[in-house]
Amino acid sequence: MRNFLSSRRFVIIGIFVAIGLVFAARLLYLQIIDDTYSELADRNALRYVTQYPSRGLVYDRNGKLLVYNEIVYDLMVIPRQVKNIDTNEFCSLLKITKEDFIKKMEKAKKYSMYAPSSFEKQILKEDFATLQERLYTFQGFYAQKRTIRSYPDSVAAAVLGYIGEVNEKKIEEEPYYKRGDYIGMSGIEKSYEGVLRGVKGSKVTLVDVHNREKGSFQNGKYDEPAIAGKNLYSTIDLELQKYAEALMKNKRGSIVAIEPSTGEILCFVSAPSYNPNLLAGRERGKNYKVLADDIAKPLFNRALMAQYPPGSIFKVAQALVALDMGVITEGTGFPCDKGLVGCHNHPSAARVRDAIKMSCNPYFYRVFQREVQQKNPKTGKIDSKYGLALWTAAMKRMGFGTKMEIDLPNVTSGNIPDTSFYNKWYPSGWNFYTIYSNSIGQGEVMVVPIQMANFAALVANRGWYITPHVVKAFGDEKHREIYKKYVEKHYSLIASSWWNIAVEGMWGVVHEAGGTGRRADVPGLNVCGKTGTAENIGADHSVFISFAPKDNPKIAVSVYVENARGGGGTWAAPIAGLIIEKYIKREVERVDIEKQYMEAAPCQALPLRGGHVKTSKANKKSRSVKKSVSNANSLSE
């Protein structure tokens, strides 16, 4: 009996020891290994708040502010802590419905019951003031300070871009971003995101049971301050930008102006444009949908993305390439034979500069024929593939058919067709007569407005250019940085002796009898230019490139007005002249002309259905002789 009681005692002791060990192990696990309960306790006493940095400011070339930040508040919620709140009062303060409240809470719960998420975003400080007084009564909710972008002059949307909430894909690609963060979506906001965004910080705050902040935890020992983003100093001239946008009101197209000596973009307009403030703040989503659904496509950046037939401005490039190839000389003349291709009435050009001035189609038909139908030194026979390969390489060295490395996103390349392009289209064979429409800037040649402006700068500089860019430097007043690639000169490799012939021809376009761009003339400024009227589905496009003054040029401009009847000399040329006058003289003296072109709405109306007239793809077949003849007047410039 005694042994039985003794053994039973050891069993009971063993059970208690085992239970004690289980509790000890569990306690060890909870306190040292598993921090779940510790985290839950902290969340009831501590609040971890992300400190968002201010994005860098953006200035124009003269120090005027283009973009600044305004303080807003995100209302955050931790669903598990939401208890016994007056829903009616809460909804009234936020100006939302009870259905909205339920929907937002369900979304927050789905994200996490314990982690904070955004309940209402970007509350303006004026609206937040009333809510702030009562916020402590709504357990589980707190405010987090943010900033949104503001645009004091409401211009340059195509350059500046906008910011929006980061998507899941970007979060996976770059762990810096978290759900609810904002990121540059377009313009320099996107291309300079890493410079502008700064570095996030964090703050740990003590909170009482009534959701009221009681101060910093351990005097800020664990806080990390946010680091503000760097400022951008743009190349844009604010006054010129506002003026150019006013000129393009009620029109579709683009204006790009460059300082030839630096490649700095002075103004950059895609029309129709929009007020960039529409894509900032709580109404951004609603406004974006309205803009995206607009048939005129204000969100489509025509200056960088639209690929157009260049029309007759391309004749300047044709002349330079032909002179450099040696297939023509300065004094080469051709008769204006309308049997080859349609043309307007003018004397036959006896030299290159006159052909540019009068924009003679048959002349450049013959020029392109000589460029393409060259003798291949390896075979001793005329070989169109050999000639086209030389022509393609020369055009690409002038910036056509390649993506310009401008510091803005979503640039397209245009199209300079090469032998592989035509081999694919015409597997049974092709020659000059298949592709001759390229001679006058039609056919398969497509350009982007930024390339047109850069080409004008290339001619102005007599053979070199610096890649166009919209930011001069970034940093602060004392320590500014620049990208070296935006000071490097690029040479076309066309002999320097040929450029003055092109310049003289472009001067004649504006100043001499028979010139097609007389309306671009600005007294005293020696403007050089070239008109183009580009064939298109619907009304033709009006095109003009120019620079001024002729010697030591200060500005190079491209203007493209979509579906504007009357040609390059009627619409694009006078608009370019006004831009040049505004920039160089700083005021426009020809107020009657200014008024006329600001108020004009020359563009053919867009169709009610089917959207925007397509200008972004090359034609699938070359223009026929019949079509060229029937559109002789529109092709002549």
Side-chain angles (χ1 to χ4, degrees):
M1 182 71 179
R2 192 171 185 178
N3 290 337
F4 171 74
L5 291 174
S6 178
S7 61
R8 191 170 66 172
R9 184 184 64 179
F10 285 119
V11 169
I12 293 171
I13 291 172
I15 290 171
F16 276 101
V17 170
I19 292 172
L21 289 173
V22 169
F23 276 106
R26 180 62 177 163
L27 188 61
L28 178 70
Y29 176 77
L30 290 175
Q31 290 188 337
I32 299 176
I33 300 173
D34 185 3
D35 59 358
T36 301
Y37 285 92
S38 174
E39 286 185 5
L40 291 175
D42 282 349
R43 283 174 182 163
N44 284 321
L46 303 177
R47 177 176 294 159
Y48 297 85
V49 180
T50 300
Q51 299 294 295
Y52 288 97
S54 295
R55 286 180 77 86
L57 307 180
V58 183
Y59 296 89
D60 91 328
R61 67 188 296 105
N62 300 310
K64 296 178 181 177
L65 197 60
L66 294 176
V67 187
Y68 67 94
N69 301 304
E70 283 191 344
I71 293 175
V72 293
Y73 296 87
D74 284 356
L75 185 63
M76 309 298 290
V77 63
I78 303 173
R80 185 177 180 275
Q81 297 179 4
V82 178
K83 296 176 181 177
N84 303 320
I85 71 169
D86 185 337
T87 309
N88 290 330
E89 182 188 11
F90 185 83
C91 291
S92 177
L93 288 170
L94 270 184
K95 299 176 184 178
I96 63 174
T97 65
K98 197 165 185 178
E99 290 73 21
D100 289 334
F101 176 87
I102 295 170
K103 191 184 296 182
K104 290 173 184 288
M105 281 301 300
E106 289 300 319
K107 183 178 179 181
K109 289 175 182 178
K110 188 176 180 180
Y111 173 68
S112 173
M113 287 295 293
Y114 301 98
S117 60
S118 176
F119 183 87
E120 187 75 4
K121 300 175 183 177
Q122 299 184 359
I123 303 171
L124 297 176
K125 56 185 178 182
E126 297 83 11
D127 298 329
F128 180 71
T130 306
L131 175 64
Q132 187 177 28
E133 294 175 0
R134 299 285 299 156
L135 189 58
Y136 75 93
T137 66
F138 304 113
Q139 192 170 349
F141 290 91
Y142 69 92
Q144 184 165 284
K145 187 184 293 186
R146 301 288 293 267
T147 59
I148 58 171
R149 300 302 244 173
S150 188
Y151 309 87
D153 289 281
S154 305
V155 296
V159 176
L160 301 174
Y162 62 92
I163 61 173
E165 191 168 337
V166 67
N167 58 33
E168 294 299 328
K169 182 180 178 182
K170 188 65 178 179
I171 293 172
E172 290 175 7
E173 292 174 352
E174 198 166 347
Y176 171 86
Y177 296 102
K178 306 298 180 186
R179 191 170 183 264
D181 285 357
Y182 296 110
I183 189 173
M185 306 293 282
S186 69
I188 58 177
E189 293 282 12
K190 181 175 182 178
S191 53
Y192 286 91
E193 167 68 14
V195 174
L196 288 166
R197 75 184 181 191
V199 179
K200 288 183 289 187
S202 63
K203 184 178 181 181
V204 187
T205 305
L206 285 167
V207 183
D208 66 16
V209 294
H210 298 294
N211 199 38
R212 292 176 296 205
E213 292 188 359
K214 305 302 291 183
S216 180
F217 176 61
Q218 292 195 9
N219 295 317
K221 180 180 178 181
Y222 299 101
D223 293 352
E224 293 183 5
I227 301 173
K230 297 177 181 178
N231 297 334
L232 293 185
Y233 302 90
S234 80
T235 64
I236 297 296
D237 183 311
L238 176 58
E239 296 307 312
L240 186 66
Q241 180 72 28
K242 290 194 288 188
Y243 187 74
E245 291 194 17
L247 280 173
M248 290 301 287
K249 186 179 180 181
N250 302 320
K251 303 171 184 70
R252 297 186 303 275
S254 65
I255 298 176
V256 181
I258 297 174
E259 184 177 64
S261 61
T262 62
E264 294 176 3
I265 294 176
L266 304 171
C267 74
F268 185 99
V269 178
S270 175
S273 187
Y274 62 91
N275 182 344
N277 287 298
L278 291 174
L279 297 184
R282 294 170 75 182
E283 299 299 311
R284 188 188 80 85
K286 184 192 299 182
N287 293 335
Y288 182 88
K289 187 177 187 310
V290 172
L291 293 170
D293 291 342
D294 189 333
I295 195 172
K297 306 296 182 188
L299 295 176
F300 180 65
N301 192 334
R302 287 163 164 83
L304 293 182
M305 300 170 70
Q307 300 181 109
Y308 301 102
S312 293
I313 65 168
F314 200 62
K315 292 171 182 173
V316 179
Q318 292 281 42
L320 286 163
V321 172
L323 286 165
D324 198 60
M325 284 182 174
V327 297
I328 62 171
T329 67
E330 181 180 359
T332 297
F334 294 112
C336 185
D337 183 356
K338 297 182 180 64
L340 297 174
V341 61
C343 199
H344 61 303
N345 294 320
H346 62 79
S348 293
R351 51 183 178 163
V352 175
R353 73 178 303 279
D354 290 338
I356 293 172
K357 177 184 75 173
M358 295 183 290
S359 199
C360 180
N361 289 329
Y363 189 98
F364 287 96
Y365 175 101
R366 290 299 190 192
V367 166
F368 189 53
Q369 186 176 28
R370 290 192 178 186
E371 289 172 329
V372 173
Q373 292 184 328
Q374 292 198 58
K375 187 178 291 185
N376 188 327
K378 291 183 179 180
T379 64
K381 296 179 180 180
I382 297 296
D383 186 348
S384 293
K385 290 184 179 180
Y386 170 77
L388 188 70
L390 295 177
W391 176 85
T392 300
M395 288 298 175
K396 289 190 173 183
R397 286 195 300 271
M398 290 193 283
F400 296 115
T402 59
K403 287 186 179 181
M404 305 222 75
E405 294 185 12
I406 183 175
D407 50 348
L408 288 172
N410 304 319
V411 186
T412 51
S413 62
N415 187 52
I416 294 295
D418 56 14
T419 55
S420 62
F421 182 92
Y422 286 121
N423 289 342
K424 187 182 294 184
W425 272 17
Y426 302 103
S428 59
W430 57 272
N431 56 34
F432 165 77
Y433 300 101
T434 317
I435 65 172
Y436 77 89
S437 292
N438 293 324
S439 64
I440 53 176
Q442 297 290 156
E444 291 69 55
V445 172
M446 304 294 275
V447 298
V448 183
I450 187 66
Q451 294 172 341
M452 294 163 47
N454 185 65
F455 179 66
L458 175 69
V459 180
N461 290 331
R462 278 66 167 178
W464 60 269
Y465 68 89
I466 293 174
T467 302
H469 51 286
V470 293
V471 172
K472 297 176 71 169
F474 58 89
D476 56 35
E477 286 291 338
K478 295 181 180 179
H479 302 94
R480 296 191 185 184
E481 301 175 58
I482 61 171
Y483 286 115
K484 292 182 180 179
K485 71 177 181 180
Y486 294 129
V487 296
E488 181 185 353
K489 290 182 179 180
H490 303 278
Y491 291 88
S492 70
L493 304 184
I494 288 176
S496 58
S497 55
W498 306 127
W499 292 95
N500 278 330
I501 298 172
V503 171
E504 289 298 326
M506 292 176 69
W507 187 86
V509 166
V510 179
H511 297 278
E512 294 180 348
T516 57
R518 303 291 294 279
R519 294 184 187 183
D521 184 28
V522 182
L525 293 187
N526 245 357
V527 176
C528 299
K530 181 69 190 80
T531 53
T533 305
E535 219 176 73
N536 174 65
I537 300 172
D540 295 333
H541 301 317
S542 178
V543 196
F544 194 71
I545 59 171
S546 59
F547 62 88
K550 177 183 174 183
D551 299 311
N552 191 25
K554 306 296 184 193
I555 184 173
V557 183
S558 75
V559 178
Y560 214 107
V561 185
E562 292 182 9
N563 310 120
R565 290 185 174 90
T570 303
W571 298 106
I575 289 172
L578 289 167
I579 292 291
I580 289 169
E581 183 175 2
K582 177 69 174 178
Y583 180 68
I584 296 179
K585 293 187 174 182
R586 304 311 296 176
E587 62 177 331
V588 174
E589 298 166 354
R590 302 172 300 151
V591 292
D592 54 335
I593 296 175
E594 177 184 69
K595 184 175 185 295
Q596 176 187 350
Y597 285 94
M598 279 193 175
E599 294 178 353
C603 300
Q604 178 187 30
L606 289 171
L608 293 178
R609 296 181 183 274
H612 168 242
V613 175
K614 294 182 180 179
T615 56
S616 60
K617 291 184 179 179
N619 304 318
K620 291 189 176 179
K621 295 292 179 184
S622 295
R623 301 289 198 267
S624 68
V625 174
K626 287 185 178 179
K627 190 165 187 180
S628 295
V629 173
S630 67
N631 288 279
N633 290 332
S634 64
L635 289 176
S636 65
E637 297 179 2

